[in-house]
Amino acid sequence: MSTHRTHRPYRTPRRRARLALAAAVTVTAALTGTVSQAAPPTPGKPAPGTPSPGAAGLGDPMFPLDGNGGYRVERYTLDFDWQAPRTPFEATATIKATATQSLSRFNLDFGGNTLHGVQVDGSTARTSRAGDELTVTPKSPIAKGRSFTVKVTYTADPTQTRHRDDAIEDYGWIPTADGTVVYPQPNGARLIFPANDHPSRRAPITFRITTPKDLTAVANGKLVDRTERPGDRVRWTYDSEQPLSTQLVQLAVGKFKLVEGKGPGGLPLRDVVPDALVEPTAEYRKLTPGHLTWLQEKLGPYPFNRYGLLVGDTDLAVALETQTLSLIPKADLLGTKVDAERNMVHELTHQWFGDSVALKSWSDLWVSEGHARFYERMYSEEHGGDSFEAAMKTAYAAHDQWRHDFGAPAEPTEPNLFKRMRYDGSALVLYALREQVGNAKFEKIERAWVTGFRGKTASTQQFIDLASKTAGEDLEGFLRPWLYGSKTPPMPGHPDWVVDPVQG
């Protein structure tokens, strides 16, 4: 996600505490309550193999109840019967999963919609809801290792949004004049469909979206079918092709034109553009093949089967790295070339960092956003934008203040997750690493990361370990103070750079 704005200044949002101690305690109990197969029975705990509840959350420090334990999703199939803008519609989510423990019940992350019923393997299941937690108790326990299918029927409300006081602003369903776009980051996918909603939990998705014939539906991946239906309706079927995190889902409906093209090596390109914006945005959209070429020279092959831009016809000035179909606000494509390219390159870089190599926890967001900002600024300097070094010197001066206000790069707090530290503040860590090891070793680290963890999740510690191995030197002592310390270390090669005193 990009926080770059050209049409309004950056606002310092209000700080807001959202972590609930009670929720954390609940998750801790849930996570520690499952006994391993090898453990002997203890009083008050189930014997080995005895069905027990899947954890209600994964215990992520930012969002303890996000994600769920006890099962692994193999595929989501979403059937949406879209009606009209801002109008509720009937929806079904079919989830194929595998139990990773013997399950007496399990949870789904689900909020903001009217639930009609849940079936597990064709039998009606009992349900209860508390906040965003949907607890499902199947008719019979599910044995460890067994595949099962969950079918959830509900009414979806395409006006459901939530708000954060950081760069995310509004998220969930974002209405447009004739339909919707989706902003799922960080955990708004649950407003769209029931899910295992955490960036480390990835699965492929099949989208089947029925719309009036004058509208077009789009989603991540490939259009595999378009079928006319009774009542002047059309069903659009998309396959994500590769697994994706729920925070990277895109699903949009509107009066769109699908503009197809070719990128480097014949890579299929597909832009999704509101009819009235096709010509006004064409000049900048045609820059994508050059962006792909530039990044592939730095990082190696693009990691997915296709790419494109979804032009967001909303007033929300936030770009988003939804997988294979980056969401770029119309304002960015109607402004200056330098500013448009910054956001375009930023979201494209995310396809390697954050999409292909996914976050293991939300504390690892610095890896994703830091790299996107790093290459955005590098590209911009080479193509008429501001000096990369000057931007990093400015970030260095503010770094102690950002550490104080927003947490160290790899140690955010939930209200400050998408603040300045995760963008220029995290790009600065990468800049320092390059200054420390030299450009040749740095480039080897970057390629090793996106190659070795392609299609996987990875953590900050894994980045430190891989950087050390690739560079041939122990970088733990160098990187940890940059990522976790309360004070900004000296910048290698720039002894004249000074950190401003902390205020407040």
Side-chain angles (χ1 to χ4, degrees), residues 363-390:
S363 297
D364 304 316
L365 181 65
W366 79 271
V367 181
S368 174
E369 295 297 351
H371 275 100
R373 182 55 53 89
F374 183 91
Y375 288 102
E376 163 204 331
R377 285 204 174 276
M378 183 188 296
Y379 179 93
S380 187
E381 180 184 58
E382 293 179 16
H383 295 80
D386 295 336
S387 162
F388 188 15
E389 181 176 310

Side-chain angles (χ1 to χ4, degrees), residues 18-19 59-64 66 361-363 411-415 417:
R18 297 182 63 185
L19 288 178
D60 190 298
M62 302 301 105
F63 306 99
D66 282 10
S361 74
W362 278 113
S363 297
E411 210 163 41
T413 59
E414 188 274 336
L417 183 55

Side-chain angles (χ1 to χ4, degrees), residues 170-224:
D170 297 327
Y171 63 104
W173 297 99
I174 303 298
T176 63
D178 47 34
T180 188
V181 295
V182 165
Y183 279 81
Q185 198 177 66
N187 54 8
R190 66 195 58 187
L191 303 180
I192 317 303
F193 63 101
N196 198 352
D197 195 9
H198 187 269
S200 67
R201 298 299 188 256
R202 309 205 293 182
I205 302 179
T206 299
F207 303 84
R208 295 195 291 239
I209 310 154
T210 303
T211 69
K213 67 177 183 179
D214 63 334
L215 298 180
T216 298
V218 296
N220 310 85
K222 181 180 181 179
L223 175 63
V224 296

Side-chain angles (χ1 to χ4, degrees), residues 235-456:
R235 186 174 72 180
W236 308 80
T237 303
Y238 289 85
D239 183 351
S240 70
E241 300 183 285
Q242 287 94 6
L244 71 164
S245 301
T246 48
Q247 63 140 340
L248 303 174
V249 166
Q250 185 52 258
L251 183 154
V253 176
K255 293 182 178 179
F256 296 132
K257 181 179 175 69
L258 305 183
V259 183
E260 297 186 351
K262 295 289 183 182
L267 178 75
L269 298 181
R270 171 198 57 163
D271 289 344
V272 180
V273 193
D275 288 347
L277 294 172
V278 172
E279 290 304 319
T281 62
E283 179 184 356
Y284 296 162
R285 288 188 292 102
K286 290 176 182 176
L287 300 171
T288 295
H291 299 160
L292 280 158
T293 297
W294 187 87
L295 280 168
Q296 288 187 142
E297 289 172 355
K298 302 275 187 298
L299 302 173
Y302 174 74
F304 299 110
N305 296 343
R306 63 199 71 250
Y307 185 64
L309 306 180
L310 168 61
V311 180
D313 189 10
T314 78
D315 294 329
L316 187 58
V318 179
L320 198 63
E321 64 271 22
T322 43
Q323 190 165 301
T324 72
L325 186 61
S326 292
L327 177 55
I328 306 291
K330 62 182 178 182
D332 291 315
L333 297 171
L334 299 174
T336 69
K337 182 171 180 283
V338 165
D339 291 326
E341 288 197 280
R342 281 189 60 183
N343 263 357
M344 291 169 72
V345 171
H346 183 107
E347 305 311 335
L348 179 55
T349 303
H350 271 305
Q351 304 300 313
W352 282 267
F353 297 95
D355 291 21
S356 176
V357 184
L359 312 178
K360 188 158 282 188
S361 74
W362 278 113
S363 297
D364 304 316
L365 181 65
W366 79 271
V367 181
S368 174
E369 295 297 351
H371 275 100
R373 182 55 53 89
F374 183 91
Y375 288 102
E376 163 204 331
R377 285 204 174 276
M378 183 188 296
Y379 179 93
S380 187
E381 180 184 58
E382 293 179 16
H383 295 80
D386 295 336
S387 162
F388 188 15
E389 181 176 310
M392 292 296 93
K393 185 176 182 180
T394 299
Y396 187 80
H399 224 243
D400 272 4
Q401 187 70 52
W402 292 347
R403 286 174 191 268
H404 174 271
D405 293 343
F406 309 139
E411 210 163 41
T413 59
E414 188 274 336
N416 298 313
L417 183 55
F418 292 91
K419 294 287 182 69
R420 297 289 293 276
M421 182 56 96
R422 252 53 67 191
Y423 298 91
D424 277 316
S426 297
L428 186 72
V429 177
L430 300 170
Y431 186 89
L433 176 61
R434 189 180 68 171
E435 295 295 290
Q436 176 73 8
V437 303
N439 194 60
K441 285 185 177 180
F442 180 79
E443 288 182 353
K444 287 181 180 179
I445 291 168
E446 298 291 89
R447 282 179 173 260
W449 178 257
V450 298
T451 301
F453 290 103
R454 179 172 176 164
K456 303 175 183 177

Side-chain angles (χ1 to χ4, degrees), residues 123-151:
S123 296
T124 300
R126 289 188 290 112
T127 62
S128 63
R129 296 183 74 175
D132 288 345
E133 294 298 318
L134 170 61
T135 301
V136 179
T137 304
K139 187 175 181 180
S140 302
I142 302 169
K144 180 180 180 181
R146 186 167 78 77
S147 296
F148 62 101
T149 300
V150 185
K151 184 177 180 180

